[in-house]
Amino acid sequence: MDERPTFGPVLIVGGGIAGPALAIALRRAVIDSIVYESNPEPRDEAGAFLNLAPNGLNVLRELGVENLTERFGFRNDRLVFHSDTGRLLADAPVGGITLMRGALSRVLRDAAIHAGVRFEFGKVLDSVEERDDEVVARFGDGTTASARALVGADGIHARTRYSFFPEAPKPTYTGIINLGGVVRTDLPSTDTAMHMIFGRRGFFGYAVRPSGDTYWFSNFAQTEEPARGSLEAVDADNFKLQLLALHRDDPSEVTKILQAVAGNVGAYAVYDIPSLPRWRRGRVCLIGDAAHAVGPHVGQGASLALEDAFVLAKCMRDLPNPATAFDTFERLRRDRVERVVKQSRRTGERKAPTGWLGRKIRDLILPMFLRKGAQATEWMYSYAIDWNERISSTRT
Ligand SMILES: Cc1cc2nc3c(=O)[nH]c(=O)nc-3n(C[C@H](O)[C@H](O)[C@H](O)COP(=O)(O)OP(=O)(O)OC[C@H]3O[C@@H](n4cnc5c(N)ncnc54)[C@H](O)[C@@H]3O)c2cc1C
């Protein structure tokens, strides 16, 4: 029996982070793919910035796009934590990079197109159906596409998941709203550090570039889940007043940054999916946020999406059919991913504001925890995948 992979062009739904990364890695495995993206055209300006951790950078290096990332981002070597009074709590080494999410998506898409991958925009996936020897994707414009395998990389509210895995739990709102953007200030450069403040009523992070460009974000608790799309409709000026009130007792840099906010504010309700019963069935597999969205608290969402793409491409390279490749992929990834999701939840809980006594206790134990945390999270950040290692379906 012929044991060579027989995938033909793979359908990839979603052209965010995981989708284009998978397409590049598949080209390296000499497997063709087509990426279907719902946006009518690239929306590289949309969204906030993110931190790519060393494990994500390892994958970018393997995909050959790491240098490009340096052009669009800046090194983020230290996380410096402060209390609400400005007291230094800890200075932790990281070693990642900060860049706009849209820039990362663009870099990956450009590299995929350069490698010969076709992108189709304005293709809103509506449903996925498996037949004997193929999978059929139906799009909102009435068109269909069929292939021997389909990968859903369509993000947290993935249509692939709702359509093909109807039993899957819905994403959980974590009770946290994240806002952020880039403004111009005259604060001194923070060099390669990102400052994080456990504010009186919300968590605030910022980094100032030598140009004065100031990257900032704020996490605050909101019990009620906002309606889908409602945050996008709110004016930046409303956010500004809300944020200034929220952070009014925090160090003066915070107020200064917030006063400079104008125009573009990215606002997101933070979701995660603690555990999906399965990420694959037959010829269909989910990767990235579609399979396992993780909150932003340990800066791992994009890095995990990149890892998934790279490992899945290896599985498809080495294993003879979609079902075996997807099954092996899930077995190789599940434990690590779920450990990161739990870690992110725990970290998010520590950011929640508390009363006077809670703050005092936190300020006492946090430095110790953060120092230990740097070693305790080594498993998360130092992870690297060897492209040359062969995958076998019997591996556990
Ligand atoms: C506020 C916030 C801060 C974050 N900070 C960090 C951070 O610091 N570090 C980090 O690593 N991660 C961070 N993340 C997470 C990170 O952005 C995601 O984990 C990452 O983008 C996941 O990539 P993905 O490709 O799986 O999904 P996405 O990037 O969401 O891409 C999904 C793509 O699918 C498309 N799509 C959706 N529906 C359809 C459809 N029906 N048909 C066709 N296409 C469709 C979308 O338009 C999109 O292009 C953050 C997320 C948020 C919300």
Side-chain angles (χ1 to χ4, degrees):
M1 196 175 99
D2 187 354
E3 284 289 291
R4 282 173 309 154
T6 50
F7 289 103
V10 176
L11 309 183
I12 300 176
V13 182
I17 309 294
L22 175 65
I24 301 169
L26 285 176
R27 278 304 312 147
R28 198 163 156 191
V30 201
I31 297 173
D32 284 334
S33 63
I34 304 169
V35 179
Y36 295 92
E37 166 57 46
S38 56
N39 285 317
E41 56 196 30
R43 287 184 64 218
D44 298 333
E45 307 316 317
F49 60 89
L50 53 77
N51 294 319
L52 254 193
N55 52 313
L57 289 176
N58 286 341
V59 177
L60 288 188
R61 196 173 305 117
E62 287 281 349
L63 295 176
V65 296
E66 198 210 19
N67 291 339
L68 287 176
T69 319
E70 294 280 359
R71 268 175 42 206
F72 294 102
F74 58 91
R75 287 219 67 83
N76 188 346
D77 290 333
R78 289 158 50 222
L79 291 181
V80 184
F81 294 90
H82 306 267
S83 71
D84 59 312
T85 59
R87 205 184 109 212
L88 178 69
L89 296 176
D91 190 334
V94 275
I97 208 168
T98 300
L99 81 172
M100 301 305 284
R101 182 192 160 279
L104 176 61
S105 183
R106 183 174 125 203
V107 163
L108 289 165
R109 187 181 65 247
D110 286 352
I113 290 171
H114 186 72
V117 176
R118 194 169 102 214
F119 279 67
E120 294 206 10
F121 289 92
K123 291 289 183 187
V124 183
L125 181 86
D126 185 41
S127 67
V128 178
E129 187 193 334
E130 195 177 11
R131 296 193 186 141
D132 290 346
D133 58 356
E134 64 174 10
V135 54
V136 181
R138 290 182 194 285
F139 298 98
D141 61 3
T143 58
T144 59
S146 58
R148 302 207 59 215
L150 180 147
V151 178
D154 41 348
I156 180 86
H157 300 292
R159 186 70 208 153
T160 310
R161 191 179 63 238
Y162 293 134
S163 169
F164 203 70
F165 302 85
E167 73 288 358
K170 305 271 175 294
T172 317
Y173 171 58
T174 59
I176 289 180
I177 307 284
N178 187 317
L179 294 112
V182 184
V183 295
R184 190 53 78 91
T185 69
D186 58 6
L187 288 167
S189 162
T190 53
D191 198 15
T192 57
M194 172 81 74
H195 290 263
M196 306 280 197
I197 297 160
F198 289 88
R200 186 76 61 94
R201 297 175 203 84
F203 190 81
F204 192 89
Y206 73 95
V208 187
R209 306 300 304 138
S211 63
D213 280 350
T214 303
Y215 290 64
W216 68 274
F217 71 87
S218 167
N219 293 163
F220 65 90
Q222 178 178 304
T223 321
E224 200 177 318
E225 179 179 353
R228 282 279 297 281
S230 65
L231 290 179
E232 287 135 48
V234 181
D235 196 277
D237 284 344
N238 290 351
F239 279 133
K240 188 168 161 174
L241 292 178
Q242 205 176 330
L243 287 170
L244 281 165
L246 186 82
H247 291 289
R248 65 182 179 274
D249 294 320
D250 295 339
S252 60
E253 292 88 341
V254 178
T255 302
K256 192 152 196 185
I257 293 166
L258 290 175
Q259 274 167 346
V261 168
N264 235 351
V265 179
Y268 309 89
V270 177
Y271 290 86
D272 69 15
I273 308 178
S275 183
L276 240 57
R278 54 180 166 179
W279 299 354
R280 44 84 213 166
R281 199 176 86 220
R283 299 179 179 279
V284 179
C285 186
L286 302 172
I287 61 170
D289 277 11
H292 49 67
V294 49
H297 312 297
V298 286
Q300 279 291 313
S303 295
L304 286 182
L306 290 167
E307 286 182 11
D308 275 0
F310 205 55
V311 174
L312 180 58
K314 283 179 64 177
C315 293
M316 293 172 86
R317 175 195 65 188
D318 294 345
L319 298 170
N321 63 55
T324 318
F326 293 164
D327 177 59
T328 305
F329 164 75
E330 183 177 334
R331 272 194 297 110
L332 289 175
R333 294 293 295 156
R334 186 179 273 278
D335 285 353
R336 170 171 170 77
V337 162
E338 294 194 345
R339 205 173 157 199
V340 175
V341 171
K342 281 197 193 116
Q343 179 80 36
S344 176
R345 281 213 152 184
R346 275 201 297 270
T347 307
E349 282 156 13
R350 276 186 209 108
K351 286 181 179 175
T354 59
W356 180 85
L357 184 62
R359 285 201 300 277
K360 290 288 156 211
I361 295 171
R362 185 179 64 190
D363 292 356
L364 271 176
I365 61 168
L366 205 70
M368 211 165 50
F369 166 78
L370 289 169
R371 269 197 304 277
K372 269 179 63 189
Q375 295 145 15
T377 51
E378 179 67 14
W379 62 271
M380 190 156 64
Y381 297 122
S382 65
Y383 188 78
I385 303 157
D386 178 4
W387 177 255
N388 295 319
E389 178 209 32
R390 308 300 292 181
I391 303 266
S392 99
S393 61
T394 52
R395 192 174 141 170
T396 53

